[in-house]
């Protein structure tokens, strides 16, 4: 695996087989089984998993039992299995938490592909090779089993089904998550991705999976989903209410961190040239279609906010003051949203400069809208008999003025506030294999 890549980028994905063969004794896959007081289920789980991998997995593998401070005979069972089976090892932690166990074991593993599964083996093991194959081939960065895919076959009670679907609906609506199943205990990740991603994940419990996936998706990493066959374990010891409460707290914490740009997600960027979208096409500006869509969405939302604020401020102020105040507030929010969502600038670097430039764009919009209101007043003065223009007329004029200013605002944002520094004047992307995007 490449290790000389700058901290600001990940190495380009490549097939792992050749590199793994050159490393004597190192497994290609390390499957972690986190356990807490599982003295009865641990041995059947490990024996079944080992048998399946021995028969079906074409590369070297390891099974790591991660004991989360068990108080029963689980540590002794794990130690005995490790002593008898060469491909099994045990790891003891003195604190509970599935996320803590995965972070600890994955951080110390020498395998290029890291996976985990629950000890109950609710997921059919035939999905294991499809889960890790895209990571071995270099196609994807992470892989997850999904119980909510259309072709999945799942046996579980209505209560768990409702909770699972409700939780994923919350993730989609609050964090804009696009993966279908956050909490299926069947996931894998490439080691070089884990080295960068895990230090950003704060949770040490059940929300660990969700936080890891949300950050990976926001960073633009590729997440492969595998439909699974899954049978609910009626003896599960998961406390649903407490877990749901912790998960909601985690959603709020991660959402706030993403909104404020507090996470250095640029460290998870792939080098240019590793993604077909990074290849220059003559005559086609990079990312233009996506930026137009993002700008339009942000523009519609900010226009609604602007109109609501204008109507509110108009109750106690004149049209010019109400227009200026509403436009100022909405402009700051608009610049921040376009910075992150439309032009993909992450982190806090350069945010003050971007806001200052955004205020210049705001001033242009203010001049256009204020000029429109002034022109409306002048027309009303010419026809003095008609009196002052109605509130509806003011809104109609402001909408027309904002639409006229939108095109100019987008061009200024794209060319001046958030220029794409990945291209030279000829349109070619310099240093395609190594140059990260300049977001400072």
């Amino acid at each position: 695996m490449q290790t000389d890549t700058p901290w600001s980028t990940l190495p380009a994905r490549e097939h792992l087989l050749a590199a793994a063969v050159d490393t004597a004794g190192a497994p290609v896959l390390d499957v972690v089984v986190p356990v807490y007081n599982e003295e009865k289920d641990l041995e059947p789980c490990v024996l079944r998993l080992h048998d399946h991998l021995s028969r079906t997995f074409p590369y070297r593998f390891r099974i790591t039992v991660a004991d989360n401070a068990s108080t029963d005979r689980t540590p002794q069972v794990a130690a005995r299995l490790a002593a008898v089976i060469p491909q099994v090892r045990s790891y003891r932690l003195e604190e509970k938490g599935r996320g803590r166990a995965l972070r600890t074991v994955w951080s110390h593993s020498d395998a290029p592909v890291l996976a985990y599964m629950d000890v109950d083996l609710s997921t059919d093991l035939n999905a294991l090779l499809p889960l890790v194959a895209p990571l071995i081939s270099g196609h994807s960065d992470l892989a997850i089993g999904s119980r909510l895919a259309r072709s999945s076959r799942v046996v579980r009670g209505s209560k768990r089904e409702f909770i699972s679907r409700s939780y994923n609906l919350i993730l989609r609506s609050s964090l804009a998550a696009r993966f279908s199943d956050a909490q299926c205990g069947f996931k894998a990740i490439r080691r070089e991705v884990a080295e960068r991603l895990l230090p950003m994940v704060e949770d040490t419990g059940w929300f660990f999976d969700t936080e890891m996936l949300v950050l990976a998706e926001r960073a633009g990493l590729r997440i492969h989903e595998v439909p699974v066959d899954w049978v609910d374990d009626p003896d599960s010891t998961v406390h649903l209410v407490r877990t749901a409460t912790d998960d909601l707290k985690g959603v709020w914490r991660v959402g706030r961190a993403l909104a404020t740009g507090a996470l250095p997600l640029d460290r998870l960027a792939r080098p240019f040239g590793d993604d077909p979208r990074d290849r220059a096409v003559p005559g086609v500006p990079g990312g233009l279609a996506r930026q137009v869509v993002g700008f339009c969405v942000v523009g519609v939302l900010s226009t609604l906010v602007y109109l609501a604020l204008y109507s509110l401020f108009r109750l106690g102020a004149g049209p010019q003051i109400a227009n200026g105040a509403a436009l100022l507030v909405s402009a700051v929010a608009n610049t921040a949203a376009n910075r992150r969502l439309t032009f993909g600038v992450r982190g806090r670097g350069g945010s003050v400069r971007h806001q200052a430039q955004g205020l210049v764009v705001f001033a242009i919009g203010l001049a256009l809208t204020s000029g429109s209101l002034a022109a409306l007043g002048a027309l009303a003065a010419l026809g003095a008999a008609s009196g002052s223009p109605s509130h509806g007329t003011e809104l109609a004029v402001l909408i027309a003025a904002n639409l006229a200013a939108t095109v100019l605002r987008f061009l200024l944002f794209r060319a001046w506030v958030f220029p794409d520094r990945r291209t030279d004047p000829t349109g070619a992307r310099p240093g395609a294999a190594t140059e990260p995007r300049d977001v400072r």
Side-chain angles (χ1 to χ4, degrees):
M1 298 174 59
Q2 301 180 22
T3 58
D4 57 349
T5 305
W7 180 244
S8 60
T9 61
L10 281 166
R13 287 188 296 260
E14 59 184 18
H15 200 293
L16 295 172
L17 179 59
V21 170
D22 293 339
T23 306
V28 173
L29 173 67
D30 192 349
V31 183
V32 180
V33 182
V35 292
Y36 173 73
N37 289 348
E38 298 285 357
E39 60 180 2
K40 293 191 303 180
D41 295 335
L42 178 57
E43 183 170 355
C45 163
V46 171
L47 293 178
R48 179 183 165 194
L49 177 58
H50 180 266
D51 176 68
H52 177 84
L53 289 170
S54 299
R55 290 185 296 102
T56 65
F57 195 69
Y59 311 109
R60 287 192 296 272
F61 66 88
R62 178 192 297 136
I63 301 172
T64 301
V65 179
D67 175 29
N68 287 141
S70 294
T71 57
D72 61 0
R73 294 185 60 257
T74 298
Q76 289 77 19
V77 175
R80 186 175 72 250
L81 291 169
V84 174
I85 306 175
Q87 292 87 1
V88 176
R89 71 172 182 176
S90 62
Y91 202 106
R92 167 76 176 182
L93 291 89
E94 298 302 328
E95 295 180 88
K96 293 177 61 177
R98 181 177 70 175
R100 178 180 288 107
L102 293 177
R103 188 204 319 275
T104 302
V105 176
W106 281 355
S107 298
H108 291 86
S109 179
D110 58 350
V113 176
L114 311 167
Y116 95 89
M117 61 183 61
D118 293 334
V119 69
D120 56 20
L121 296 185
S122 295
T123 304
D124 181 35
L125 292 178
N126 286 326
L128 182 55
L129 184 55
L131 182 80
V132 300
L135 308 187
I136 294 174
S137 70
H139 175 271
S140 302
D141 299 293
L142 299 91
I144 64 174
S146 175
R147 298 163 296 184
L148 301 181
R150 289 189 176 183
S151 57
S152 298
R153 295 184 295 180
V154 176
V155 178
R156 62 176 167 183
S158 57
K159 179 180 179 180
R160 281 183 175 269
E161 180 76 11
F162 174 78
I163 292 175
S164 179
R165 292 190 178 275
S166 298
Y167 180 62
N168 281 279
L169 180 61
I170 291 173
L171 294 181
R172 288 176 177 270
S173 59
S174 60
L175 298 179
R178 296 189 298 272
F179 49 84
S180 65
D181 192 350
Q183 292 287 27
C184 181
F186 198 71
K187 295 182 176 69
I189 185 173
R190 286 173 65 103
R191 190 180 70 193
E192 78 271 15
V193 176
E195 290 172 348
R196 303 285 183 89
L197 180 57
L198 295 185
M200 302 183 197
V201 180
E202 293 186 18
D203 192 80
T204 59
W206 292 97
F207 187 69
F208 174 89
D209 301 53
T210 300
E211 186 170 357
M212 179 180 68
L213 291 174
V214 169
L215 299 187
E217 187 174 75
R218 287 298 185 93
L221 298 180
R222 180 175 291 161
I223 301 175
H224 178 73
E225 294 199 18
V226 178
V228 297
D229 298 338
W230 192 86
V231 179
D232 188 17
D233 178 14
D235 298 324
S236 174
T237 58
V238 177
H239 300 281
L240 295 180
V241 175
R242 185 175 65 192
T243 300
T245 302
D246 292 341
D247 286 347
L248 292 176
K249 292 179 180 178
V251 169
W252 168 256
R253 173 177 55 79
V254 172
R256 183 176 57 185
L258 292 172
T260 58
L263 295 168
L265 297 180
D266 54 306
R267 294 180 179 178
L268 298 172
R270 287 289 183 185
F272 289 103
D274 189 48
D275 191 324
R277 292 171 296 182
D278 299 324
R279 299 171 189 167
V281 179
V284 179
L288 178 60
R290 181 189 60 79
Q291 290 177 358
V292 169
V293 173
F295 184 81
C296 290
V297 172
V298 172
V300 169
L301 294 178
S302 62
T303 299
L304 294 176
V305 171
Y306 162 76
L307 293 174
L309 290 173
Y310 177 81
S311 299
L312 178 63
F313 295 154
R314 190 67 176 85
L315 296 176
Q320 294 288 6
I321 296 177
N323 174 60
L327 196 56
L328 176 61
V329 174
S330 60
V332 172
N334 181 279
T335 299
N338 276 306
R339 181 179 188 270
R340 175 64 183 89
L341 301 177
T342 303
F343 298 97
V345 181
R346 304 182 179 94
R348 298 180 180 178
S351 59
V352 175
R353 174 172 59 83
H354 292 152
Q355 282 292 350
Q357 292 173 310
L359 288 177
V360 175
V361 178
F362 149 75
I364 297 174
L366 178 62
L368 288 173
T369 53
S370 297
S372 299
L373 286 174
L376 183 64
L379 290 175
L382 291 176
S386 61
S388 300
S390 66
H391 181 63
T393 303
E394 288 181 359
L395 288 180
V397 171
L398 288 173
I399 291 173
N402 273 281
L403 289 175
T406 296
V407 175
L408 179 60
R409 188 183 304 123
F410 175 76
L411 294 176
L412 288 173
F413 271 166
R414 180 175 171 85
W416 180 49
V417 183
F418 307 110
D420 188 351
R421 304 184 188 277
R422 294 175 293 179
T423 59
D424 61 22
T426 65
R429 295 175 182 264
T434 58
E435 284 289 324
R437 179 178 182 181
D438 183 0
V439 297
R440 293 174 293 173

